[in-house]
Amino acid sequence: MDKRELNKYVDQASLSIVDAMKKIDANTKQILFITDDNGRLIGAVTDGDIRRFLIKTGDLQAPIREAMNHRPLVLSENERNRAADFCHENHINAVPLIGNDGRPVDIVFKEETTTLPSTSDD
């Protein structure tokens, strides 16, 4: 995934709830990964997280960091080959791949992964 494509799914914690909703709507994957001012991953937010936040507060202008999951599941960039199984095992639709500097370098989406069926010797 190139930088422009990655930016569809990543934004900073200062982003407002309403702007995060717009970005999630535009990327069609129902998730946004949140970074700090240095570009390091600090959270993830889904459309469901936002919906639950709005039911509690109704504040569309709050920063997304107030609604995000502060402990997202991640893999290091050299664990790409585990991504499909990781998504299935953890019942998640996407996993960010993180570089040594803590910045997202790619995102693997569950529906874009394939696993080979196991074979049995009957």
Side-chain angles (χ1 to χ4, degrees), residues 2 6 10 17-18 24 35 39 44 55 58 67 71 73 82 84-85 89 96 99 105 107 113-114 121-122:
D2 67 23
L6 186 64
V10 177
I17 296 289
V18 71
I24 288 172
T35 60
I55 288 169
R71 295 175 50 170
L73 297 175
R82 291 188 47 223
D85 289 337
E89 290 165 5
V105 296
I107 300 167
T113 62
T114 58
D121 296 322
D122 291 333

Side-chain angles (χ1 to χ4, degrees), residues 13-93:
S14 58
L15 189 70
S16 71
I17 296 289
V18 71
D19 288 335
M21 290 170 51
K22 289 176 186 176
K23 194 157 187 176
I24 288 172
D25 188 54
N27 77 28
T28 69
K29 298 292 186 179
Q30 301 171 337
I31 194 162
L32 192 62
F33 294 98
I34 308 301
T35 60
D36 64 14
D37 292 339
N38 296 312
R40 291 185 299 263
L41 185 76
I42 59 169
V45 66
T46 65
D47 56 350
D49 295 326
I50 292 172
R51 185 181 64 251
R52 286 183 290 277
F53 177 82
L54 289 175
I55 288 169
K56 288 179 188 174
T57 71
D59 188 357
L60 289 170
Q61 296 308 314
I64 197 64
R65 68 177 162 269
E66 293 183 20
M68 73 181 189
N69 170 359
H70 293 266
R71 295 175 50 170
L73 297 175
V74 302
L75 289 173
S76 69
E77 64 183 317
N78 61 1
E79 294 179 292
R80 178 184 299 275
N81 61 336
R82 291 188 47 223
D85 289 337
F86 188 82
C87 285
H88 290 283
E89 290 165 5
N90 290 286
H91 308 284
I92 58 176
N93 293 324

Side-chain angles (χ1 to χ4, degrees), residues 1-9:
M1 176 178 300
D2 67 23
K3 180 87 169 155
R4 192 176 79 227
E5 183 72 11
L6 186 64
N7 284 336
K8 292 179 183 179
Y9 308 101

